[in-house]
């Protein structure tokens, strides 16, 4: 079973930056596509970004395109989400997830393992 641990969340002012990290416990991480999702209070969990198993393909929600960058380091079993020009509407709990198929879907039910989440709060 793959365990995922996110870190890097926090409180930042609008226009600021944060980098989230998600480290996996198993080597099978290297064959997984990885995704980032977020969930604001009272809302559904939404797709943010995904990256294929080898980092060759990435995908972003329209709301974060040009501001967020996903990357991975398979030697460290870690995926990153660099978030720049943050807005108050980016405030949410951010979750990383592993997709064993390696495709990096935008759909939550396509992912097999989830982290516990890390809070990101952007003040105006």
């Amino acid at each position: 079973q793959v365990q995922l641990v996110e870190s890097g969340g926090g409180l930042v002012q609008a226009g600021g930056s944060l980098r989230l990290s998600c480290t996996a416990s198993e080597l099978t991480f290297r064959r997984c596509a990885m995704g980032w999702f977020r969930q604001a209070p009272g809302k559904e969990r939404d797709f943010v970004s995904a990256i294929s198993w080898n980092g060759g393909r990435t995908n972003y929600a329209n709301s974060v395109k040009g501001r967020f960058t996903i990357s991975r380091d398979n030697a460290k079993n870690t995926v990153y989400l660099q978030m720049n020009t943050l807005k108050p509407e980016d405030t949410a709990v951010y979750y990383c997830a592993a997709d064993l198929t390696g495709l990096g879907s935008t759909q939550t039910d396509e992912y097999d393992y989830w982290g516990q989440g890390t809070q990101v709060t952007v003040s105006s």
Side-chain angles (χ1 to χ4, degrees), residues 19-31:
R19 188 175 81 155
L20 305 183
S21 299
C22 172
T23 300
S25 61
E26 299 291 335
L27 293 179
T28 50
F29 166 86
R30 299 175 185 184
R31 298 194 297 271

Side-chain angles (χ1 to χ4, degrees), residues 21-67:
S21 299
C22 172
T23 300
S25 61
E26 299 291 335
L27 293 179
T28 50
F29 166 86
R30 299 175 185 184
R31 298 194 297 271
C32 296
M34 298 297 295
W36 285 97
F37 291 76
R38 66 187 181 187
Q39 188 167 19
K43 296 191 176 181
E44 293 186 349
R45 192 170 296 189
D46 291 330
F47 171 77
V48 175
S49 183
I51 188 167
S52 61
W53 69 274
N54 64 352
R57 187 176 64 205
T58 59
N59 192 15
Y60 297 92
N62 287 335
S63 59
V64 307
K65 226 173 256 186
R67 300 188 298 122

Side-chain angles (χ1 to χ4, degrees), residues 2 6 29 54 56 61 64 77 81 94 97-99 103-104 109 114 118:
V2 177
E6 300 102 333
F29 166 86
N54 64 352
V64 307
N77 281 12
L81 187 68
Y94 283 71
D99 173 5
L103 298 178
D109 57 4
W114 291 83
T118 185

Side-chain angles (χ1 to χ4, degrees), residues 52-105:
S52 61
W53 69 274
N54 64 352
R57 187 176 64 205
T58 59
N59 192 15
Y60 297 92
N62 287 335
S63 59
V64 307
K65 226 173 256 186
R67 300 188 298 122
F68 291 10
T69 302
I70 192 170
S71 62
R72 66 189 296 161
D73 184 343
N74 284 350
K76 296 182 178 179
N77 281 12
T78 300
V79 62
Y80 305 97
L81 187 68
Q82 177 66 43
M83 306 186 296
N84 298 329
T85 321
L86 282 160
K87 305 175 181 180
E89 51 264 43
D90 294 319
T91 295
V93 177
Y94 283 71
Y95 299 89
C96 72
D99 173 5
L100 295 177
T101 68
L103 298 178
S105 172

